[in-house]
Amino acid sequence: MDRIRTRRFAAAGLSCALALGVAACGDSSSSDGEGAGGKVRITVNGMPPKTQTVDRANFEEDVRLFEKSHPDIDIEPREGLMDPKTFSAKLAGGQLEDVFYVYFTDPAGLIARHQVADISPYLKGVPQVGDVRPELQKVFQDADGRTYGLPTGNYSLGLLYNRELFKKAGLDPDQPPADWDAVRTAAQKIAGLGDGTTGYADFSKNNQGGWHLTSWIYSMGGDVAVKDGDTWKAAFDSDAGRKALQTLHDMRWTDDSMGTRQLLEIPDVQKMMGAGKLGMYMAGPDNIPTIVKQFERKYDEYGLTAIPGSATLGGGDGYMFNAKSSPEKIKAGIEWLRWKFYDPASEERHTKKSASTDVPIGLPQPNLFSGENQAEVDAIHARYANVPQENFKPFVDRSASVELKVEPPNAQQIYTVLDGVMQAVLTKKDADIDQLLADAAKQTDAILATVR
């Protein structure tokens, strides 16, 4: 699912995050490496539409500042993001930007089809690039370690919880559950408060159930799909899949900690949390400001910890490079991305500007870097923080030990299948978990057979 909050959007306003623009038209400059006065001119998408006035103004200001500090480079910004349905046609027709926005689910296919440029030769000695977290950079690399793009944002699913309900239930909000057995125990205690309080809730429709079940399976040490030679196969008909579903079944029917109302989706669960009637649910950090703003809550009411288990579902975004772009354009594009997303000076400028607005500063993601660069970014956020960062310390402290896994191929189609599995387990006490998994695996194998 597209639950990403990139710095590009976060600096301007959370309400505009994830807006999917329409691919912009116009003449490509990929075959023309020079702009006016011998400058290198590059086309870059990802500019917010005019309807998003604040985001648009901030993007345009970045372009002006970059060009002022880099007089040898011209940026030609375009609206829109990468659309897999039109990508090949744009590439063939010479309309693809030199530098274009992608989600983490896009790079593997683009690399396999040789539709993007290998930028490895141009990265040596580029400041900050070497500080990118290896697991994030790997998304943009092939099996031989060649690099085809740069990540600019990331998220991972954790466990969002109501600190006030934890206290009322006799739980320590500074020591949230670290395994699923502890989640079950905590959910039972919170549900025991009565008055319509639910201990734990989860999604089960509109592909959101399959999305969350994927993270459940990851957390149990399993996979949803694996590559077998040149083909992909379903992998969730496994011990991990059965354990995930059995835990959900037991919380729903044995513990009675998930309430009787099911077939929920994101707005339903956020409303429950915003009403103070829900103890926990699986979510990324971006859910917190949504709940606070929409339901007039306070940030200090909520905590966030890492997903119990060994791995979680995550994602993110970044930029890749047109395979037809010249070396000069690729180098200019790398410098644009480095300056805009990686340079602590840019982070300071964006954060300082956001401090005068209601944009939350101090949430634990995106966290792109390791080492000194991340420490410098963290220090910037701490200086301007307007949210209680200590409430998210359990998430930060455990995240390094929880593997980040991206979505499977044809994820949305697979999630539709897994929605049915989640719905059955949460609405039928006698649901046959083995049969559900076996049937879903057959459907998923057919879906994965189309992956190329």
Side-chain angles (χ1 to χ4, degrees):
M1 302 294 288
D2 299 331
R3 306 294 302 161
I4 306 162
R5 292 293 185 267
T6 66
R7 296 187 198 186
R8 174 168 62 86
F9 291 121
L14 286 168
S15 63
C16 299
L18 307 181
L20 298 178
V22 178
C25 59
D27 293 336
S28 171
S29 59
S30 293
S31 60
D32 178 8
E34 292 189 356
K39 297 180 179 181
V40 177
R41 182 175 66 241
I42 58 172
T43 52
V44 179
N45 72 10
M47 179 171 65
K50 291 181 180 179
T51 53
Q52 298 174 11
T53 55
V54 175
D55 293 340
R56 176 80 166 221
N58 286 338
F59 191 99
E60 291 174 340
E61 181 184 22
D62 276 349
V63 170
R64 287 193 297 271
L65 290 173
F66 177 82
E67 291 181 337
K68 183 178 180 180
S69 63
H70 297 75
D72 57 337
I73 301 175
D74 273 339
I75 302 289
E76 182 184 323
R78 295 179 179 176
E79 293 182 9
L81 309 176
M82 183 269 194
D83 183 350
K85 296 179 180 179
T86 62
F87 178 86
S88 295
K90 287 185 70 176
L91 177 63
Q95 300 298 308
L96 182 66
E97 294 82 8
D98 297 302
V99 185
F100 57 92
Y101 179 102
V102 295
Y103 294 116
F104 274 15
T105 48
D106 299 320
L110 296 176
I111 293 169
R113 294 189 294 272
H114 307 290
Q115 292 177 314
V116 285
D118 176 4
I119 66 172
S120 306
Y122 314 109
L123 294 177
K124 186 176 181 180
V126 178
Q128 289 102 36
V129 170
D131 294 330
V132 175
R133 289 168 54 191
E135 65 269 31
L136 303 182
Q137 189 60 75
K138 186 177 180 180
V139 174
F140 294 85
Q141 294 175 333
D142 63 15
D144 297 319
R146 289 185 290 261
T147 301
Y148 296 81
L150 296 172
T152 56
N154 72 294
Y155 84 93
S156 61
L157 291 175
L159 193 67
L160 175 60
Y161 59 97
N162 185 311
R163 290 175 59 88
E164 300 303 315
L165 289 181
F166 264 55
K167 294 175 185 176
K168 290 181 181 178
L171 301 165
D172 184 353
D174 295 324
Q175 298 292 327
D179 58 56
W180 285 114
D181 286 340
V183 171
R184 283 188 64 179
T185 299
Q188 284 179 285
K189 291 183 177 180
I190 293 168
L193 295 172
D195 193 26
T197 303
T198 300
Y200 178 86
D202 219 325
F203 312 146
S204 56
K205 70 176 184 178
N206 289 339
N207 289 14
Q208 296 167 18
W211 172 44
H212 271 200
L213 181 55
T214 295
S215 195
W216 269 91
I217 293 169
Y218 287 170
S219 77
M220 300 291 188
D223 282 302
V224 167
V226 294
K227 197 168 187 179
D228 182 11
D230 293 330
T231 61
W232 286 84
K233 295 288 186 181
F236 53 75
D237 187 3
S238 63
D239 289 343
R242 280 182 281 278
K243 186 176 180 181
L245 291 173
Q246 191 64 54
T247 301
L248 281 162
H249 177 276
D250 291 348
M251 291 175 71
R252 167 69 175 93
W253 299 105
T254 303
D255 303 345
D256 195 24
S257 62
M258 295 184 69
T260 57
R261 184 188 172 202
Q262 297 301 324
L263 303 182
L264 305 173
E265 55 186 322
I266 291 172
D268 302 317
V269 176
Q270 289 179 338
K271 185 176 181 180
M272 293 165 66
M273 185 64 81
K277 295 297 184 180
L278 175 61
M280 298 171 283
Y281 77 101
M282 191 184 292
D286 62 304
N287 275 230
I288 300 172
T290 299
I291 295 167
V292 168
K293 292 182 180 182
Q294 187 170 345
F295 302 102
E296 299 182 351
R297 310 301 300 197
K298 297 179 180 179
Y299 281 98
D300 58 12
E301 295 179 54
Y302 303 103
L304 186 72
T305 187
I307 281 288
S310 59
T312 186
L313 173 63
D317 49 23
Y319 284 81
M320 301 187 80
F321 296 76
N322 191 324
K324 299 180 180 180
S325 295
S326 67
E328 291 76 20
K329 285 175 170 285
I330 292 173
K331 287 185 283 188
I334 290 171
E335 176 57 16
W336 159 249
L337 297 178
R338 184 207 66 81
W339 178 91
K340 181 171 172 58
F341 295 103
Y342 292 0
D343 191 341
S346 293
E347 187 65 32
E348 175 97 34
R349 185 179 69 258
H350 292 150
T351 303
K352 184 176 181 180
K353 186 173 184 178
S354 297
S356 61
T357 71
D358 62 351
V359 172
I361 299 170
L363 293 175
Q365 287 181 338
N367 56 331
L368 292 172
F369 311 107
S370 57
E372 294 183 4
N373 203 42
Q374 187 62 47
E376 191 168 353
V377 170
D378 290 343
I380 292 168
H381 292 169
R383 282 199 295 275
Y384 297 98
N386 55 14
V387 299
Q389 290 185 292
E390 63 276 8
N391 287 13
F392 318 129
K393 192 173 184 297
F395 181 88
V396 174
D397 288 348
R398 284 199 59 241
S399 288
S401 63
V402 179
E403 181 185 359
L404 178 70
K405 292 188 175 183
V406 298
E407 294 179 298
N410 288 356
Q412 296 306 317
Q413 296 176 59
I414 295 174
Y415 293 164
T416 299
V417 173
L418 294 180
D419 263 6
V421 177
M422 284 284 275
Q423 290 169 10
V425 167
L426 295 176
T427 61
K428 299 177 181 179
K429 189 174 183 179
D430 61 349
D432 186 334
I433 291 175
D434 288 340
Q435 191 63 53
L436 286 168
L437 286 171
D439 291 345
K442 290 180 182 178
Q443 296 178 62
T444 300
D445 281 342
I447 292 169
L448 290 170
T450 65
V451 176
R452 294 290 182 268

